[in-house]
Amino acid sequence: MTITDSNRRLNAPVAPADPSRGTLRPLGLGEVRITGGFWSRMQSVNVTGTLPHISHWLEREGWLPNFDLAAAGTLTSDNRRGREFSDSEVYKYLEAVAWQLGRDDDPHLEKQFRDTVTRLAAAQEPDGYLNTNFGRPTQDPRWSDLAWGHELYCAGHLFQAAVARIRTRPGSDDGLIEIAVRFADLICEVFGADGIQSVCGHAEVETALVELGRATGDNRYIEQARLFIERRGTGTLPDIEWGRSYYQDDMPIRQAEVMRGHAVRANYLASGAADVATETGDTQLLGALTTQWDNTVARRTYVTGGQGSHHQDEAFGDDFELPPDRAYSETCAAIASVQFSWRMLLATGGNRYGDLIERTLFNVVATSPSADGTAFYYANTLHRRTPGEAADPDTVSPRAEASLRAPWFEVSCCPPNVARTLASLDAYIATADADGVQIHQFAPASITTLLDNGEEVALAIETDYPRSGSVNVRVMRDATEEWTLRLRVPSWAGGAQLTVNGSAEDVGPGYARVRRRFTAGDTITLDLPMTPRFTSPDARIDAVRGSVAVERGPVVYALESNDLPTGWRDVSDVVVDSSTPPQDIGDRVVVRAARRVDPAEPWPYGEHDSGAFGDESSVALIPYHEWAERGPSSMRIWIPSR
């Protein structure tokens, strides 16, 4: 099957999500281009550092050569390498490359993409099945372990790679879309209304099937995604030590009031359910997802935007169970959270979804990769008590045990997930509707699009955000009719100011709105207050009661042991003076702090004075996403206050 421009919806965005209905329409690659600043630097590192790094490790660890063995008929359970889901990392890598090729032509990357697809095609079986872990002599049969086998999960990432290729290179003859469609057809046959009445233990295929249906115009895939969503929570998967809530099979998604279980699975499931709700017009399902999002953000989300406080099952904890030193806050959970929030933003237009996306991007997604893009955090703790050991750059690390960023993991889902997110990030900047254009994330960028009435819009965004809170939007084209420009004002930005052609007014959190018949040269400036601020936790979060965090704009700051005054032993000794506001000095934020003095008593309980303090000093904090770039250190975000 070949997808051409004539098959695609008018104004279809070159973007990861392309709903056929909803409040807002995403503006994709080709309409939005990040041109500089924080995210442009990360995208450049993604191309020069991360993508070749991933390619190297996929080859070295045998995860891509598994497909070669399958094609040769020599793959067995003994010589296959990697975990049961290692196929998915190849597919996420392909998706990242596809999005990057949608941003910039690169003959070398194009050749790598095509060569990889050729190896996949050779391994695909005659009926369309493609998985290196099942179905061959000495391997378990197909679909024999839906709870843990990740067959449908892997298929979902294959479909998303194909969707990225369809949208960035429609009509491409590399063969990836044919591979995906053949496998999707088989899944619809095997798991359709009269087929296997079960689901995958790791949700992901649902959102992928919807996007494949959107991209190809085949509604069978959307219907199959709907079936999977409706089956979830009916007890089709076996009970386990952590309960069926681990894979969200404990109750139907319409009945759940908060997200629970494995945080990545929960967010992928919610993303797929949001896609299904949007495509089918299911307002009841969308309402249930709204409730879950609201309650999860209010009770089960870290100040960084990270989610998941349990290490053993990579799961959400109970309400307000958010210990900083035991935070799992998996990078992939953050990426899945961004995907869920983006779909809710498109469906409803709510600004709070953009707020969480911004927080999560700056404080989890940006924290995971090293400055050179060749080492990563799998889990993102908020409090490191002791300096760790630098990871061997040539050794695979246990996923959550890496005390510093590591080059590769036994479960290496995070590196290619970061890569595909950064490669497609332009598509999360802005949207449009019948009334105009909305800007949700701030970065230097160019925006060109066509409104529903045929009006051509061209904008240039200039900003040093988040270093500066000034976001300047210049109109590059005369309008023939009035239209509305809206800019998101974050919830933390009380006292923001909007200036239109020199005329200023105060604006509150939500969206600043400018409606007029724009002319080329019009200038709209949103000034967001970037004074550092103390943030206090909800008193029900026991683990950080009596502590404060420091934020500046959307960025959470951390105290790192590298910056302690001489003679101060560790970040655990520091108590901040919350009566003295944090100060913005250069590229650091400085707080007034004291060093706690150890009590003389050998027993840590009783009536003795636990509030004895020694030296006082100004102490510098760094953006959390920069921590551990200077070598092993201890670190904390929440600091006890007095």
Side-chain angles (χ1 to χ4, degrees), residues 366-367 405 560 587-588 622-630:
T367 304
R405 294 176 182 89
E560 193 172 17
D587 60 350
R588 293 288 181 265
I622 62 167
Y624 172 62
H625 58 248
E626 293 181 8
W627 94 272
E629 288 286 4
R630 297 173 289 176

Side-chain angles (χ1 to χ4, degrees), residues 256-258 286-296 344 353:
E257 295 187 351
V258 69
L286 189 63
L289 294 169
T290 301
T291 297
Q292 291 170 34
W293 190 96
D294 288 343
N295 288 338
T296 301
M344 296 301 291
Y353 303 114

